[in-house]
Amino acid sequence: MLKYVVKRLILMLFTLFIIVMITFILVHMLPREMPVEKNLQAVIAQRWEALGYNKPIMTQFGIYLKNIFTKWDFGTSWYIAPRKGAWEVLESGFLPTLLVNLYSMILAVPVGIALGVYAAIRKNKWDDSFISTIVMVFISVPSYVYAFLVQYTLYFKLGWLPLTMYSLADAGGSYFTWKMFVSMIPAILALSFGSIAGYTRFVRAELTESLTSEYMLLARTKGLTRAEATARHALKNAMVPVLPNILSEFVGLLSGSLIIEQIFSIPGVGQLYIKSLNLFDYDVFMIDCVFYTFVYLLAGIVLDLSYGFIDPRIRMGER
Amino acid sequence: MANDIKTISPEKFEFVNMNTRLTDVKFDDKPIGYFKDAWIRFRKSKAAVVAMIIIILIFLFSVTAPLFTKNPSTFMDTYYAKKGPYIKSLRSIGIANGGVKRDFSEIGLISKIAIGMGAEDWEGTGKVTLEDGMASEFQPILEVSDPYIQIDSSKKEKTYYHGVIDAYNEVGFLFLSVEQEELKKMIAWEEESGLHLLYPLIEDNNFTPDPQDANFWFKCKKYQPITINEKGKAKNVEYAPGMVLEDNYKRDEEGNAIKWEYTGGGSFETAHMKVRVLYKNYYIYKNGFEPQYLFGTDSQGYDLMLRLAGGLRLSLLLAISVSVINFCIGALYGSTEGFYGGAVDLLMERFSDILSGVPFIIVATLFQIHLATKLGAVPCLLFAYILNGWINIAYRVRTQFYRFKKQEFVLAAKTLGARDMRLIWKHIFPNSLGTIVTSTALIIPGVIFSESMLSYLGIVKLGSSRTTSLGTLLSDASAIWMNYPHLMILPALFISLLMISFNLFGNGLRDAFNPSLRNVED
């Protein structure tokens, strides 16, 4: 197992390195101009020189890697937060993104699993087909449509919730205040519809399959009631593929949803991506790309590895 | 016993078919092939068939929409931007009349009603009644409720009205500066068409609240309509039957209203004249057709139906080309991997492993910022989808090849001397068709969604005068849609419908091609 984990991790780091290199070259091929600011020109020029912006691209890449490994320095933001470190800028976006997505997951996972189990138990009855139809619709409709619907009903018609998320200053300086939580609710709801439907469909499919398998027959023959057999045997087996997905989505939470962050103006990593792209703040854009790639790869690995932990018979990615 | 059989005399034997040839009976039915079989199963799923019909209808709409309207596809009109559906023939029965529900203060209501009254008075007599004005086809107010009292922010009781207003007629009048030649053309057109284009100019005095606004043709005191009695005293006008507005037209010595005025500068040919036109008739004069918008207009003033159809065309074209190209690359790559195996497989797998690690959003962004100016936004988007979109299909094909390549029918074909290419395409590949057709079909909704997302976020800029994308329409509407809901509802509805249909269609295909997987989602 350890050998397998190490192998996967090394492959992941190798992939990450190649993607970072290609992204770095492509981003640094773009023309860039030194920001002009009268009083600080000397400081800016010094920093510019230290990052090697005037040197050939591969030299720049060497400096970039050296700075990361020795000083954890990913370059400087020039426009979004002038002369702050790119890492600090990215770091400031973690918490809002993580919170909104975490809340949405806390809502979506139990509801999704409960609905899925219910639909599987009532298979081919009217309530199953009702749930399945709704799930089909909810999986297909794009998340931004929910965002508009939520905004329209909860803000425009009923006036219960704010249109977008409050800024830190409005909500009392912390992301953990009640007021901030209330302003996050529209985004949480908009994110949840799709994932509730996703979990429902997944759990239903897995559970219907295990409900019809032979060990269920055996469990019933040895005298368990249907409910007991379902809870003890079928549900356990059905969760084997579901749990890894929840875990990997948990890792994926970090990257958030670009479009939901844009619509509800959540100051997270997704909004940072769009902002840095529009303002040509390349170092921030670069670190955001690295971050996205890292989270994406990590989520994939967590998915594959957790299969192995939950059910040791499975080795994903091996033949 | 045994001897009996052995000793049957030859004469007892008789040929059954001495004179007829023995052949197979010809089938009356046509044979049912793999695809026909799948089609028969597909037809049984009602949802999938309905989804297919919806997809076909949306496709037909996107192609034939320009036939339903006289508006050219690049035509735009900034005065009629963000307006609701408007069709003249349906207006009389109360639908597609450009109507918007709104609440009016008394002053606001009168100033809108005045547009209709002014439109009936092209000669500038000033003797138009409220009833004439309300009956006018240029009247913006379609419905008005009984008054109700509300206390406003300064704690005064004020009279308000619920109403429905025609957003097209609300544009009302405009001041224009035209050349002499143009003016002559306008006058000639008025006579020819029988429509009224030029209206009396307005006196620029202290009865005019806003000299730039051509709709205040009546006397006002700070937006409050007034009448002046013989003693020269001002009296506020109230909204009631028989309401009279006192005109503020520019008149010559004889008291006739002036319709054009020299604004100075230039020779006779180039000098500009100031005129006041009724915009709806000016629109007909300028374009040669009446304003007709089945879905209303978008935030810039294009016909929303044509924009939607254009966006749908782009989405469908992109989605279908992505899935076809990914199908081809995936099939080639996967079958090479799967058939040859060994070192070839290992190398190709590592390559696709690395490629599949690249997040799509980053690929799309980098392609856009590097190549969009050279190649155009759409080809760049296509490249981004193709870069690692085929990997999933290649993986499926590879799995199928591993499953089938050691089976007896392949060995038999090999023994008979079939070459590799024949083995791959004729014997093994058709077995994997079912799974990859399904996964190809399920690429389509994903592409439609991510294309609209990228253009919504502005990462891909697809909006131009010729074409647009659904995402661009949505992002244009995103700041203002609370006031103009149709700008958001129609694109969102179409895209949702398209996504649901393609997902149902894909599921139907999967059930049809792999009956064993029925009702199992992956």
Side-chain angles (χ1 to χ4, degrees), chain A residues 116 120 200-210, chain B residues 519-521:
Chain A
T200 307
R201 183 165 82 162
F202 199 10
V203 170
R204 180 190 173 277
E206 292 300 330
L207 193 57
T208 40
E209 212 184 323
S210 35
Chain B
N519 289 326
V520 180
E521 319 283 343

Side-chain angles (χ1 to χ4, degrees), chain A residues 64-312:
Chain A
Y64 187 70
L65 289 184
K66 203 182 101 197
N67 280 342
I68 291 172
F69 286 120
T70 55
K71 292 182 275 183
W72 199 247
D73 175 7
F74 285 86
T76 304
S77 160
W78 300 106
Y79 301 103
I80 292 176
R83 294 180 311 287
K84 258 182 144 182
W87 171 255
E88 285 170 59
V89 176
L90 182 73
E91 213 181 8
S92 69
F94 284 156
L95 200 57
T97 300
L98 192 66
L99 278 182
V100 170
N101 286 282
L102 193 65
Y103 290 146
S104 130
M105 205 167 158
I106 291 172
L107 175 68
V109 170
V111 177
I113 292 181
L115 281 175
V117 170
Y118 182 74
I121 292 171
R122 306 275 302 168
K123 194 180 178 221
N124 295 340
K125 304 254 172 50
W126 69 269
D127 22 12
D128 169 43
S129 42
F130 178 71
I131 291 177
S132 299
T133 315
I134 298 279
V135 158
M136 192 64 224
V137 172
F138 272 54
I139 277 187
S140 309
V141 172
S143 57
Y144 52 79
V145 175
Y146 300 128
F148 300 137
L149 286 178
V150 167
Q151 282 186 336
Y152 188 73
T153 48
L154 296 182
Y155 166 76
F156 195 61
K157 280 283 157 198
L158 301 171
W160 292 350
L161 295 169
L163 185 62
T164 53
M165 191 171 134
Y166 289 136
S167 66
L168 261 184
D170 284 345
S174 162
Y175 285 113
F176 295 98
T177 56
W178 177 249
K179 204 176 166 195
M180 188 56 111
F181 176 71
V182 170
S183 76
M184 282 177 181
I185 291 177
I188 297 168
L189 285 178
L191 277 171
S192 299
F193 286 121
S195 41
I196 288 176
Y199 285 123
T200 307
R201 183 165 82 162
F202 199 10
V203 170
R204 180 190 173 277
E206 292 300 330
L207 193 57
T208 40
E209 212 184 323
S210 35
L211 278 177
T212 50
S213 50
E214 273 145 16
Y215 59 79
M216 278 298 286
L217 198 61
L218 179 69
R220 292 301 300 281
T221 1
K222 76 178 183 188
L224 294 182
T225 62
R226 207 187 121 116
E228 277 174 338
T230 308
R232 276 195 216 159
H233 296 280
L235 204 55
K236 245 185 187 171
N237 275 294
M239 283 301 136
V240 169
V242 176
L243 278 180
N245 263 285
I246 294 177
L247 269 179
S248 101
E249 251 185 60
F250 187 76
V251 177
L253 285 188
L254 286 169
S255 57
S257 157
L258 282 174
I259 199 153
I260 293 292
E261 292 198 0
Q262 190 76 1
I263 292 174
F264 293 102
S265 56
I266 299 166
V269 280
Q271 210 189 33
L272 199 63
Y273 186 84
I274 307 292
K275 245 192 201 168
S276 59
L277 186 63
N278 289 337
L279 292 172
F280 304 113
D281 207 341
Y282 290 138
D283 285 1
V284 180
F285 180 68
M286 186 63 215
I287 191 179
D288 226 342
C289 285
V290 175
F291 176 72
Y292 268 113
T293 316
F294 178 71
V295 170
Y296 184 76
L297 290 172
L298 194 67
I301 282 206
V302 167
L303 179 68
D304 287 0
L305 290 185
S306 54
Y307 268 112
F309 280 113
I310 289 163
D311 187 346

Side-chain angles (χ1 to χ4, degrees), chain B residues 178-189 267-273 285:
Chain B
V178 293
E179 286 173 14
Q180 303 267 3
E181 285 297 311
E182 186 79 11
L183 183 61
K184 274 184 203 155
K185 250 195 256 171
M186 281 178 166
I187 295 167
W189 183 84
S267 62
F268 182 76
E269 281 80 18
T270 56
H272 280 66
M273 305 293 279
Y285 162 74

Side-chain angles (χ1 to χ4, degrees), chain B residues 30-43 327 396 400 403-404 425-439 508-518:
Chain B
K30 274 185 187 162
I32 293 179
Y34 183 60
F35 282 97
K36 179 138 195 222
D37 195 31
W39 169 240
I40 289 170
R41 278 194 296 262
F42 181 82
R43 266 190 323 204
F327 177 93
R396 280 163 197 268
Q400 295 294 319
R403 229 174 100 193
F404 288 107
W425 300 119
K426 195 85 189 169
H427 295 282
I428 311 178
F429 183 70
N431 288 298
S432 59
L433 257 181
T435 45
I436 62 172
V437 162
T438 308
S439 45
L509 272 187
R510 187 192 50 218
D511 292 349
F513 277 114
N514 317 306
S516 60
L517 281 180
R518 186 172 302 242

Side-chain angles (χ1 to χ4, degrees), chain B residues 193-251:
Chain B
S193 64
L195 296 171
H196 299 287
L197 185 59
L198 298 168
Y199 279 76
L201 290 169
I202 299 167
E203 195 77 61
D204 189 3
N205 53 18
N206 37 5
F207 293 123
T208 309
D210 180 0
Q212 305 299 322
D213 191 335
N215 288 331
F216 285 104
W217 57 269
F218 47 94
K219 285 183 177 158
C220 288
K221 207 170 195 178
K222 286 187 180 166
Y223 295 99
Q224 167 69 54
I226 51 166
T227 50
I228 313 271
N229 60 15
E230 288 96 35
K231 291 172 193 162
K233 272 208 158 185
K235 191 170 164 260
N236 288 357
V237 175
E238 280 172 5
Y239 173 66
M243 179 181 79
V244 180
L245 291 170
E246 205 161 305
D247 74 81
N248 193 19
Y249 292 135
K250 208 168 248 183
R251 294 177 189 282

Side-chain angles (χ1 to χ4, degrees), chain B residues 399-459:
Chain B
T399 317
Q400 295 294 319
F401 265 72
Y402 269 103
R403 229 174 100 193
F404 288 107
K405 74 175 179 187
K406 290 277 148 58
Q407 290 201 358
E408 285 77 7
F409 68 91
V410 182
L411 192 66
K414 219 182 213 165
T415 322
L416 288 171
R419 286 170 197 279
D420 283 0
M421 283 302 128
R422 190 175 167 82
L423 285 179
I424 291 176
W425 300 119
K426 195 85 189 169
H427 295 282
I428 311 178
F429 183 70
N431 288 298
S432 59
L433 257 181
T435 45
I436 62 172
V437 162
T438 308
S439 45
T440 309
L442 286 172
I443 288 179
I444 294 176
V447 172
I448 293 174
F449 169 66
S450 49
E451 179 262 318
S452 71
M453 186 189 83
L454 288 172
S455 53
Y456 182 92
L457 292 172
I459 294 177

Side-chain angles (χ1 to χ4, degrees), chain B residues 116-189:
Chain B
M117 291 169 73
E120 288 302 301
D121 187 18
W122 54 89
E123 281 167 344
T125 55
K127 289 190 184 89
V128 60
T129 62
L130 176 65
E131 285 66 32
D132 289 342
M134 290 305 277
S136 164
E137 64 164 315
F138 301 106
Q139 177 56 253
I141 299 291
L142 299 171
E143 277 170 42
V144 59
S145 72
D146 289 332
Y148 65 98
I149 306 287
Q150 205 175 352
I151 294 162
D152 70 354
S153 53
S154 56
K155 295 194 175 169
K156 274 185 201 157
E157 283 189 356
K158 275 198 161 178
T159 315
Y160 285 91
Y161 300 84
H162 298 298
V164 178
I165 184 165
D166 177 338
Y168 288 83
N169 279 345
E170 196 193 348
V171 174
F173 300 96
L174 282 183
F175 285 127
L176 289 179
S177 181
V178 293
E179 286 173 14
Q180 303 267 3
E181 285 297 311
E182 186 79 11
L183 183 61
K184 274 184 203 155
K185 250 195 256 171
M186 281 178 166
I187 295 167
W189 183 84

